[in-house]
Amino acid sequence: MKMLTKISGALLASFLLLFCNQKNKENPEASNEILLLENVRLIDGNGGNPIENTKILVKNGKIAQIGNDISDKDAQTVDLKGKTIIPALISAHSHIGTLKGTTTKPENYTEENILSQLKKYQNYGVLNIMVMGTDRPLLFESGLRDRSAKGEIEGARIHSAGYGFGVANGAPPLDFAMDKVFRPTSVAQIPAEMDSLAKVHPELVKIWVDDFNGKYKIKIKPEIYKAIIEQSHKRNLRVAAHVYYLSDLKKLVADGIDIIGHSIRSEVIDDTTLAQMKAKGIVYIPTLSLDEFAFIYAKKPEWINDPFFKNSLEPGVYEMITSEKYQNDLKNSLNFTKNMKAFEIAKQNLKKVFDAGILVAMGTDSGAMPLRAQGFSEHLELQLMTEAGLTPLQALTVATKNSAKALKIDKDFGTLEVGKTADFIVVDGNPAKKIKDTRKIVSVYKAGKKVSKGAFTK
């Protein structure tokens, strides 16, 4: 009898070990550690008021229970009295790899550089990013994108729009390492280019419809981007547009665009266009921080010497943006006043779009150039959304739940609910009352595992 008990126990232990190993293979990023977080102020991402003094049980990288009546003898207890948990941030418009130091060049795009930047996003509590059309073959040929998606590497998870579509001798700028972008000159080229793009399995298709403040004499032709949208939809791919002018927005809405990747900055959007956007389920990503970065360094913002900001910068960038020459050149540039006006229009449009019931997601264009710091930009974006008229809770919902919806990853991410992945940030203070408290990061958890102590983690 004792022998049978020993055999049964051994078999059970073997089964449990096999089960756990299988679970780890299915979700390699998930922690085996069971956590019971106590005395939590929880902002779950759904937009409601914070839940005070609650408990959260985390098992196998998922939220297992939320409430006061929770106990688990196997759990490690963590007392978070005085602290707040918010969902990890999600950026629906970012860039990685081509930025290094004060340059944006193709040769910067190495696995080492990408991994470093993914870890930086993680340290700032950003755990999913959509790279909008500036990826390069290395990402796919090395398997780096797939390993990131499976949680096999540290840092933010990569979502990719592959190689975007622009126009020859126009946007996007070649000097921003945009040499892999398709630049069709006729509708006939597009099916083959779409077939080529489809081989890397993008989650979105990116198009640039802009002249960059008059820098280029031509923009992509409507018949070209209409064909791109049609070919994308045939392949069940949504299309995100870089757009600036209201006139272009109207045409894109009529031609079936899915996502607006930047604010409209030429003029305030009319109610008819807003109604059409809502009816068609178009997503709006305002990237307000991008517009502020276009002029703000000349005005010496209050955060310019904040270590939380400075630590996000590439080497040499702080010295560049605080130099007298740089700031004077910025003030004296032809677009300085225009950029400030565009920023104010962008804020007005965000509020109008949000109030119209259109899905607003967070994106920043961080990583596209040295001025747009990865990690800090996402927290600045939260602040700017509140300055545009959103409440802190609304801004947090945009940056979590809405961004997950925009990227179609909301089954697992974006809110802290039972059954979802335990991606969250622990902060001091209460971001529901003061949005800048998101910058007081105590720790970052990815799939239930503590992966960072915040922006200053090495």
Side-chain angles (χ1 to χ4, degrees), residues 53-281:
N53 297 315
T54 192
K55 296 180 181 180
I56 303 174
L57 183 66
V58 177
K59 286 185 176 182
N60 298 318
K62 301 281 187 180
I63 305 292
Q65 285 181 268
I66 298 173
N68 290 316
D69 189 21
I70 300 175
S71 62
D72 191 308
K73 62 181 178 61
D74 297 319
Q76 175 190 342
T77 302
V78 182
D79 188 349
L80 293 178
K81 187 174 182 178
K83 295 177 172 53
T84 304
I85 284 181
I86 63 174
L89 305 181
I90 297 170
S91 176
H93 187 159
S94 297
H95 300 275
I96 53 168
T98 56
L99 170 64
K100 190 172 186 179
T102 59
T103 67
T104 309
K105 297 179 179 179
E107 53 264 38
N108 293 340
Y109 200 87
T110 64
E111 185 165 332
E112 179 184 15
N113 199 33
I114 292 169
L115 291 173
S116 173
Q117 291 174 4
L118 293 177
K119 191 172 180 182
K120 181 187 290 186
Y121 277 118
Q122 175 176 277
N123 288 341
Y124 280 78
V126 185
L127 291 184
N128 283 282
I129 60 169
M130 170 59 73
V131 185
M132 275 287 195
T134 55
D135 282 323
R136 303 178 70 81
L138 169 70
L139 186 73
F140 311 106
E141 293 169 359
S142 66
L144 186 57
R145 192 267 300 267
D146 294 336
R147 284 184 280 143
S148 171
K150 292 175 183 176
E152 295 175 355
I153 58 175
E154 279 191 281
R157 303 174 190 86
I158 303 169
H159 303 269
S160 176
Y163 321 119
F165 285 82
V167 61
N169 302 313
L174 278 170
D175 54 0
F176 279 11
M178 305 286 198
D179 53 305
K180 296 300 180 184
V181 171
F182 296 108
R183 298 175 189 266
T185 55
S186 73
V187 170
Q189 294 172 252
I190 294 167
E193 290 178 340
M194 284 298 307
D195 286 342
S196 179
L197 176 60
K199 290 177 182 177
V200 300
H201 305 292
E203 294 171 60
L204 293 174
V205 176
K206 169 75 176 290
I207 58 174
W208 280 264
V209 184
D210 192 14
D211 63 5
F212 280 60
N213 268 335
K215 178 179 179 179
Y216 301 111
K217 294 179 180 178
I218 57 171
K219 289 188 287 189
I220 190 169
K221 293 178 180 178
E223 61 265 29
I224 297 286
Y225 66 65
K226 185 176 182 180
I228 294 168
I229 293 170
E230 289 173 350
Q231 289 293 324
S232 298
H233 288 174
K234 283 182 180 179
R235 293 164 174 80
N236 295 315
L237 290 168
R238 295 175 299 153
V239 183
H242 171 123
V243 62
Y244 183 102
Y245 299 101
L246 178 59
S247 57
D248 289 323
L249 172 68
K250 289 174 178 285
K251 293 173 187 173
L252 286 161
V253 169
D255 287 335
I257 198 67
D258 302 288
I259 299 170
I260 303 301
H262 293 288
S263 288
I264 299 304
R265 290 153 280 176
S266 62
E267 54 198 294
V268 175
I269 305 172
D270 58 278
D271 292 342
T272 299
T273 302
L274 290 172
Q276 292 170 347
M277 291 170 67
K278 183 178 181 181
K280 294 187 175 187

Side-chain angles (χ1 to χ4, degrees), residues 99 293-294 297 309 313 317 320-321 326 369-373 377:
L99 170 64
F293 285 140
Y297 295 119
F309 165 66
L313 296 171
V317 175
M320 179 183 77
I321 62 177
Y326 178 86
M369 61 184 298
L371 307 184
R372 303 170 195 163
S377 294

